Amino acid sequence: MKNKFILILFFIIHLGPLWAENLNIESSSISIEKKNKLTIFKDNVIAKDNKNNKFLADYAEYYKDLNLLISKGDTNLTTSEGFEVIGSNITFDNLKNIIKSSDSAVIIDKEKNKIYLERFEYSTANKFFKSTGKIKVIDVRNNIYNFSQIYIDEKKREIIGSDIKAFLNDKNFKIHDKNKPRVFANTVSIKNTNSEFDKSIFTLCDYRENDKCPPWSVQASNMRHDNKKKTIYYDNALIKVYDIPIFYFPKLSHPDPSVDRRTGFLPPSFTDTKNLGEGIAIPYYWNIGKDRDLTFTNKLFLDEHPLFLGEYRQAFKNTNLIFDFGYSEGYKNTTDTKTAGSKSHFFSKIINNFQGKNNSDNNLK
């Protein structure tokens, strides 16, 4: 009878779970050092707190006086909100309600975005991560965000970061393959519905050698991308060409590049011609109806008068109609070939598709 009691006691201490100040800890092997008030857990270590945060490791030490559980080596953590942390050497401070590590870790949120950290601290009471250092976020659309400091609110599903460099690699956010859309900002707040940047610079231009300024950019005190409306909003927007201020708008908005047809400003484009020199085109698109639209474009040049262009398009059942028109005050710098005086143009084009005899396809222009 005595031997059976010792065997049962051994089983409880070495193989069963251990309750330690709201921590439920179990493993395949448990040993106790009474002198140091230390419990050592080995192989298949599983720890849970009363908030349902779960901690998995192969080796951990529990300090009773400090109510502290420390893992050694690879460790996985699943928070009560379902965020997964893959890291190592993680400390579970049950007195301060904090889980932390000084080693690199990867957080995978509920939307499967990946957040790479050099270190982290997690508040189990507030369900809140924070970290400093070199931080990278790669979202499910392959957009990359670099931070120097980050806060992750699990309840609000919000990421707040500082010193942000965002590289928007989503193909839907590009007009053509050479675009390199990016935003640099002081701070950013990223949610499922929108992203908001403070003191930001945005451009679609390709990279230039030696990290020179892009051909055009939009600088704003606040920039917000509404994912549902697919619209970018700016406060105090300043449009720059080669870092030279050209236009200022207290409020500005335009559809993001993923939108096919919607009224608003379109992304500007840069031009450099022999006759007119360097300039920027700022188009405005008017979606008049499902069968007709109009694009009005201001072309502004550093050394010449602006050029105003418009194109009206309308579709009928079997016919397409286009009106193309423009006006300029003329050349500032006249030569024998560049004569003075205002200039304008008007073109029209109509295309009619019809079937002829024997069901042949024909078109008339």
Side-chain angles (χ1 to χ4, degrees):
M1 186 69 181
K2 184 178 179 181
N3 291 338
K4 286 184 179 180
F5 176 78
I6 293 172
L7 183 61
I8 292 171
L9 182 62
F10 179 87
F11 178 82
I12 291 172
I13 294 174
H14 289 266
L15 298 178
L18 173 68
W19 285 94
E21 301 295 333
N22 298 322
L23 274 178
N24 180 12
I25 312 168
E26 58 183 274
S27 68
S28 299
S29 174
I30 302 174
S31 59
I32 299 174
E33 295 181 5
K34 291 184 179 180
K35 183 178 179 181
N36 298 322
K37 296 183 180 180
L38 170 67
T39 306
I40 298 173
F41 300 86
K42 294 181 181 179
D43 301 325
N44 301 316
V45 182
I46 302 173
K48 292 181 183 179
D49 65 5
N50 58 356
K51 299 178 182 66
N52 204 31
N53 296 294
K54 189 177 180 180
F55 173 114
L56 303 176
D58 280 330
Y59 181 93
E61 297 176 350
Y62 176 70
Y63 295 84
K64 184 178 179 181
D65 287 350
L66 301 174
N67 199 2
L68 206 66
L69 181 68
I70 302 174
S71 73
K72 304 290 184 180
D74 295 341
T75 309
N76 284 9
L77 169 70
T78 303
T79 69
S80 57
E81 293 292 320
F83 281 47
E84 183 182 356
V85 181
I86 302 171
S88 60
N89 305 325
I90 294 177
T91 298
F92 208 134
D93 190 333
N94 205 37
L95 283 179
K96 296 180 180 178
N97 293 317
I98 288 174
I99 302 173
K100 62 182 180 179
S101 174
S102 298
D103 290 2
S104 59
V106 180
I107 299 175
I108 304 173
D109 65 16
K110 296 277 285 189
E111 287 73 38
K112 303 302 180 184
N113 302 309
K114 293 184 178 180
I115 303 153
Y116 297 85
L117 309 172
E118 289 187 319
R119 63 187 67 85
F120 77 88
E121 184 176 299
Y122 174 69
S123 170
T124 60
N126 299 318
K127 301 182 180 181
F128 200 88
F129 284 95
K130 66 178 181 180
S131 179
T132 58
K134 292 181 179 179
I135 300 161
K136 178 185 286 188
V137 177
I138 302 177
D139 69 17
V140 291
R141 298 181 182 86
N142 200 34
N143 299 312
I144 298 174
Y145 305 83
N146 294 323
F147 304 91
S148 64
Q149 189 172 13
I150 194 172
Y151 300 90
I152 306 167
D153 192 324
E154 287 186 313
K155 291 180 180 178
K156 295 181 180 179
R157 297 289 192 268
E158 181 180 12
I159 295 175
I160 300 171
S162 60
D163 300 325
I164 170 68
K165 291 185 178 181
F167 302 90
L168 308 175
N169 299 317
D170 186 354
K171 289 183 179 180
N172 292 328
F173 211 82
K174 299 180 180 182
I175 298 174
H176 52 73
D177 291 339
K178 289 186 178 180
N179 285 156
K180 299 294 187 295
R182 56 198 182 274
V183 184
F184 294 173
N186 282 9
T187 60
V188 64
S189 169
I190 302 172
K191 300 179 183 178
N192 288 337
T193 55
N194 63 72
S195 300
E196 189 167 348
F197 302 84
D198 286 327
K199 295 184 179 179
S200 64
I201 298 176
F202 169 68
T203 186
L204 288 174
C205 297
D206 200 351
Y207 302 112
R208 300 177 65 205
E209 292 183 2
N210 301 319
D211 202 25
K212 293 180 180 178
C213 62
W216 70 262
S217 63
V218 181
Q219 180 178 313
S221 61
N222 181 271
M223 170 184 168
R224 181 168 62 89
H225 180 213
D226 191 315
N227 294 329
K228 288 186 176 180
K229 295 181 178 179
K230 296 185 180 296
T231 303
I232 300 175
Y233 301 91
Y234 304 89
D235 291 338
N236 300 310
L238 187 63
I239 296 176
K240 291 185 174 183
V241 177
Y242 287 117
D243 223 22
I244 299 173
I246 301 296
F247 266 115
Y248 169 77
F249 299 93
K251 297 286 184 180
L252 177 66
S253 67
H254 62 77
D256 71 30
S258 67
V259 175
D260 291 329
R261 300 178 78 246
R262 188 192 305 158
T263 298
F265 284 98
L266 302 177
S269 61
F270 174 78
T271 58
D272 188 3
T273 64
K274 184 177 180 181
N275 285 338
L276 300 175
E278 296 178 345
I280 185 171
I282 305 173
Y284 183 86
Y285 177 80
W286 182 14
N287 182 20
I288 303 172
K290 64 179 181 179
D291 60 345
R292 67 193 74 183
D293 56 29
L294 171 68
T295 303
F296 183 77
T297 304
N298 293 314
K299 285 196 170 184
L300 309 174
F301 302 96
L302 293 178
D303 301 318
E304 292 290 353
H305 292 299
L307 172 62
F308 305 100
L309 299 172
E311 184 176 275
Y312 173 82
R313 297 166 293 269
Q314 185 167 356
F316 301 92
K317 184 176 181 181
N318 298 310
T319 305
N320 292 320
L321 173 66
I322 300 174
F323 292 142
D324 184 296
F325 49 91
Y327 171 80
S328 172
E329 188 177 339
Y331 292 106
K332 282 184 181 178
N333 305 314
T334 59
T335 64
D336 292 338
T337 57
K338 296 166 64 177
T339 57
S342 63
K343 295 171 174 60
S344 60
H345 77 266
F346 179 88
F347 300 109
S348 63
K349 183 178 182 180
I350 188 167
I351 303 172
N352 178 247
N353 300 306
F354 61 94
Q355 284 191 332
K357 293 181 179 180
N358 301 321
N359 295 322
S360 61
D361 292 327
N362 302 276
N363 63 69
L364 174 66
K365 298 182 181 180

